[in-house]
Amino acid sequence: MSSLKMSRIQTTCLHLVPLICVCVLLCGVDSPAFAQETAEKESTEQAPPAETADPAETDDQSSEPEESKDEPEADPGQEDLDEAVVLRIDARSPRELQAVERLLQSAIKKGLSGDNSSFAKKILGSVLLQKSQQMLGAMGQVRTAGQRRQLLDETMRTLDEAVANDPGLVEAYLLVARLNSLPGGDKEETIAATSKAIELLAENPEQRSGAYVLRALAW
C-alpha cells in the first residue's frame, strides 16, 4: 500500500475517534424522561393496591338511623287540660264553668302526671268554688224551703269537692264555715273549717282574726 493511501486512512480514523467516544457516553447515560418513566413503573409495581371500600358496608353505615333524642311523652289527658285552661280564662256563666269542669275531670281521669296533675286540680278547685258561689247567689230566687235546703246541700257538696282538689283553698273553708253557722248547720263542721282556714292564714293576720271570730261563734 502506498504511503499516501496509508496517510489518508489514518487521518480518517483520527476523525472518527471523538465521534465514537461521544456515542459510548450517550449509550451509558439514561435520558431524564426514560429515567422518570422507569422510576414510576417501579414504584407502581412495588406499591400494594389500595383497599377499596365495601359497597355493602358503606350502605349499612349510611342506612344506620341516628340516635333519637329522648323526648318525654305527653300525658294522656294533656289535650283536655290545654283546652280547659283556654276556656277557663273567660269562663263566667254556669254553662261555661261546667264545660271547664267537665274537661278538667276528663283530663284527670285520662291521666296527668306531676305538675300537670296539681295544676289541673287547682284549677278545678277554683272552678268549683266559683260554681258554689253562683249557687248561693241563686238562693234568693228559690221560693220553697225544701228547694233552698236542696240547693244548700248541693253547694256544700261542691265546696267539699273543691277543697278535696285544692286543700289550700282558704275561701272554700271560710264559706263552709259560714254556711254551717246558719240555723240547722253543723257546728263541728264550722269548727273544722275555721281551724283549717286559720292554719292557712298564718301570714294574713286580718283574715285570720275573722276566722277566729267565726270559730268562737260556733263554740
Side-chain angles (χ1 to χ4, degrees):
M1 185 179 296
S2 61
S3 59
L4 180 59
K5 188 175 181 180
M6 193 66 176
S7 176
R8 289 179 178 176
I9 292 171
Q10 292 177 351
T11 302
T12 301
C13 290
L14 291 173
H15 288 163
L16 292 174
V17 169
L19 182 60
I20 293 171
C21 291
V22 171
C23 290
V24 171
L25 290 174
L26 289 177
C27 291
V29 178
D30 294 336
S31 64
F34 179 80
Q36 182 177 0
E37 182 179 356
T38 303
E40 290 178 354
K41 185 176 181 181
E42 290 178 354
S43 62
T44 302
E45 292 177 353
Q46 294 177 0
E51 295 182 359
T52 57
D54 188 358
E57 183 179 353
T58 305
D59 293 340
D60 291 341
Q61 293 177 355
S62 61
S63 62
E64 289 180 358
E66 297 181 356
E67 294 182 0
S68 58
K69 298 181 179 179
D70 294 335
E71 297 181 357
E73 295 181 359
D75 291 332
Q78 184 68 53
E79 186 175 351
D80 288 345
L81 174 60
D82 293 340
E83 187 176 353
V85 171
V86 174
L87 291 178
R88 180 68 180 101
I89 297 173
D90 298 322
R92 297 291 183 273
S93 67
R95 185 175 181 179
E96 291 171 340
L97 290 174
Q98 186 177 5
V100 177
E101 178 187 353
R102 187 164 50 248
L103 283 169
L104 289 170
Q105 289 177 342
S106 174
I108 295 171
K109 184 177 180 181
K110 288 180 179 179
L112 295 172
S113 60
D115 293 339
N116 278 342
S117 179
S118 301
F119 181 55
K121 289 180 178 180
K122 283 184 177 295
I123 299 177
L124 181 57
S126 69
V127 168
L128 293 171
L129 173 61
Q130 189 173 351
K131 180 180 176 181
S132 65
Q133 292 168 341
Q134 290 181 348
M135 293 166 67
L136 287 177
M139 191 78 71
Q141 301 175 2
V142 178
R143 296 181 180 180
T144 65
Q147 290 176 336
R148 283 195 295 270
R149 184 72 250 178
Q150 183 178 358
L151 184 58
L152 183 59
D153 290 341
E154 187 177 351
T155 302
M156 293 296 293
R157 286 193 297 270
T158 303
L159 287 170
D160 288 340
E161 189 178 352
V163 295
N165 283 280
D166 185 4
L169 205 57
V170 179
E171 296 87 346
Y173 288 113
L174 292 175
L175 188 52
V176 168
R178 292 189 185 100
L179 291 176
N180 280 293
S181 298
L182 297 174
D186 189 339
K187 291 185 178 181
E188 295 296 331
E189 288 291 336
T190 301
I191 294 173
T194 51
S195 298
K196 185 63 177 180
I198 290 169
E199 178 185 344
L200 295 171
L201 291 170
E203 298 181 0
N204 194 327
E206 185 176 351
Q207 289 189 17
R208 195 180 192 192
S209 62
Y212 273 117
V213 172
L214 191 58
R215 186 172 68 176
L217 292 174
W219 283 338

